[in-house]
Amino acid sequence: DTGVSQNPRHKITKRGQNVTFRCDPISEHNRLYWYRQTLGQGPEFLTYFQNEAQLEKSRLLSDRFSAERPKGSFSTLEIQRTEQGDSAMYLCASSPLDRFNEKLFFGSGTQLSVL
Amino acid sequence: AQSVTQLDSHVSVSEGTPVLLRCNYSSSYSPSLFWYVQHPNKGLQLLLKYTSAATLVKGINGFEAEFKKSETSFHLTKPSAHMSDAAEYFCVVSDDEKLTFGTGTRLTIIP
């Protein structure tokens, strides 16, 4: 069990550029979640996958955001035409299908700064 | 809709004294409640969880929380604070497929 891995740890980009983050969950975890955390706030739910299927998306997830989990293993989160308001910590978490709430493991996050 | 309110954004206690972090919840259903801790540059870690079993829940590192339905509260306590407890603490509610976090309480330990 190597834990949930997120890359990169930090990303600095200019407004209008596209960025992509990667999350590698704990192996054999069926569920994968993306959350966003801004300064002074708790994490906010963005979307989640069960295997390769994206089952729910938050209204926070505008059409500039897209997430994939093509083979039910790692996941990517892409932000197109970044805006300064996208600056935040993007957190990934994974869990087994059963008792998912009780066995949710978080990665250390990707800190995005949009200049 | 589910939500949690953490009543204090910042709590400071002296090392060796008790800790109390307050949380009130709102949920349409019988909720699952959690406390998570976030140390700088580390991932969120589950401290403890309530899932309709015993109302007094024991977690890691000596933390406890008591579920009080009549008060819709789930306060986190520890009898004696340690320097390593300094971190951000989040109260979390779940009554469906996802977690809803509070805004967090920053705990500072005074030597």
Side-chain angles (χ1 to χ4, degrees), chain A residues 25-85:
Chain A
I26 294 172
S27 62
E28 299 182 353
H29 273 192
N30 305 96
R31 290 204 171 183
L32 187 148
Y33 297 78
W34 285 100
Y35 282 80
R36 180 172 68 187
Q37 185 177 17
T38 53
L39 200 61
Q41 299 295 318
E44 296 173 298
F45 169 79
L46 292 179
T47 188
Y48 86 94
F49 294 82
Q50 183 165 305
N51 300 315
E52 66 274 10
Q54 188 173 18
L55 296 188
E56 187 174 348
K57 294 194 294 184
S58 164
R59 283 171 289 181
L60 292 174
L61 213 64
S62 76
D63 57 5
R64 296 185 297 105
F65 287 70
S66 62
E68 295 182 343
R69 194 182 184 196
K71 297 183 179 179
S73 57
F74 73 92
S75 175
T76 58
L77 178 67
E78 181 183 16
I79 309 174
Q80 296 182 325
R81 305 181 302 281
T82 53
E83 301 173 356
Q84 288 185 326

Side-chain angles (χ1 to χ4, degrees), chain B residues 49-58 65-68 74:
Chain B
K49 61 184 182 288
Y50 165 78
T51 54
S52 75
T55 57
L56 182 62
V57 181
K58 294 185 183 298
E66 185 172 8
F67 174 73
K68 292 187 177 181
F74 190 58

Side-chain angles (χ1 to χ4, degrees), chain B residues 3-21:
Chain B
S3 66
V4 289
T5 301
Q6 293 186 243
L7 301 170
D8 307 291
S9 59
H10 192 190
V11 170
S12 294
V13 301
S14 296
E15 188 176 17
T17 65
V19 175
L20 170 64
L21 305 183

Side-chain angles (χ1 to χ4, degrees), chain A residues 31 35 42 56 101-102 104, chain B residues 38 49 94 97-99 102:
Chain A
R31 290 204 171 183
Y35 282 80
E56 187 174 348
N101 273 338
E102 302 178 27
L104 192 62
Chain B
Q38 188 174 39
K49 61 184 182 288
S94 174
E97 303 290 314
K98 58 187 179 290
L99 305 181

Side-chain angles (χ1 to χ4, degrees), chain A residues 9-10 31 33 35 37 40-45 48 50 56 91 99-102 104-108, chain B residues 32 34 36 38 41-46 49 51 88 90 94-104:
Chain A
R9 290 294 306 274
H10 304 275
R31 290 204 171 183
Y33 297 78
Y35 282 80
Q37 185 177 17
Q41 299 295 318
E44 296 173 298
F45 169 79
Y48 86 94
Q50 183 165 305
E56 187 174 348
L91 297 168
R99 303 172 68 188
F100 58 89
N101 273 338
E102 302 178 27
L104 192 62
F105 294 88
F106 282 85
S108 297
Chain B
S32 295
F34 310 80
Y36 277 80
Q38 188 174 39
N41 301 316
K42 293 191 175 181
L44 285 156
Q45 182 183 19
L46 179 65
K49 61 184 182 288
T51 54
E88 189 87 18
F90 294 96
S94 174
D95 58 14
D96 54 16
E97 303 290 314
K98 58 187 179 290
L99 305 181
T100 299
F101 286 75
T103 52

Side-chain angles (χ1 to χ4, degrees), chain B residues 14-28:
Chain B
S14 296
E15 188 176 17
T17 65
V19 175
L20 170 64
L21 305 183
R22 298 182 295 165
C23 173
N24 287 110
Y25 71 91
S26 173
S27 175
S28 303

